[in-house]
Amino acid sequence: MSASVLVCRWEEAQERAKSIRYSVFVEEQGVPMELEWDDKDATSWHALGFAEDGTPVATGRLLADGHIGRMAVLKPARGTGVGARVLDALMAKAAELGYPRLILNAQTDAAPFYARAGFEPVGEEFVEAGISHIEMRKRLV
């Protein structure tokens, strides 16, 4: 799959990102809606990954404090590389903004995905929204 990625503000990403996140987190993983939506979206950079036909299939966000989160890829697009492209775009935006490091809370089964991008686990596993996670960090400078 040849995917493209757009990095933009919430105003532009909102409709598509919400649809992807709802499908993955709320419907598929059972995350309560009240835990999925917060006020951080409005001040974050968002990446949208698109399939060849222009369909939005992946998203993630970069918070002002260097946290990457809400990484989601629709089931039919998993394993195609679009998630890695979204992560790469968020890391590039962080580097452009001069962030010294990145932090994320990876679902433990996704930790190898982030490790391939240079993130290292920190601390012990913990449960968030009923799902096992591990904090991971990557130094940019």
Side-chain angles (χ1 to χ4, degrees):
M1 173 186 278
S2 176
S4 61
V5 176
L6 169 69
V7 177
C8 58
R9 289 305 213 167
W10 185 237
E11 295 77 26
E12 188 172 355
Q14 182 173 358
E15 184 179 322
R16 295 169 287 191
K18 273 190 166 185
S19 175
I20 295 165
R21 286 166 46 182
Y22 184 84
S23 177
V24 172
F25 297 127
V26 178
E27 290 181 336
E28 187 181 327
Q29 297 182 348
V31 174
M33 278 196 352
E34 61 272 11
L35 295 181
E36 178 52 30
W37 313 118
D38 60 32
D39 60 353
K40 296 176 184 168
D41 280 320
T43 58
S44 298
W45 286 97
H46 297 265
L48 292 167
F50 299 90
E52 276 182 29
D53 66 0
T55 304
V57 295
T59 190
R61 73 179 184 185
L62 172 66
L63 279 65
D65 66 0
H67 274 80
I68 287 180
R70 302 305 200 269
M71 289 283 298
V73 178
L74 295 177
K75 199 176 279 189
R78 291 181 193 153
T80 66
V82 68
R85 288 186 181 100
V86 165
L87 182 59
D88 287 345
L90 292 171
M91 291 188 301
K93 186 65 178 179
E96 173 189 318
L97 294 170
Y99 292 6
R101 67 186 164 103
L102 293 170
I103 304 168
L104 56 83
N105 293 335
Q107 292 184 11
T108 53
D109 60 350
F113 167 80
Y114 295 107
R116 286 191 297 275
F119 285 84
E120 297 180 353
V122 177
E124 300 296 319
E125 289 185 19
F126 60 94
V127 175
E128 185 175 66
I131 301 167
S132 182
H133 286 73
I134 183 99
E135 181 179 317
M136 299 185 81
R137 296 182 184 187
K138 178 177 181 172
R139 184 150 300 282
L140 295 179
V141 291

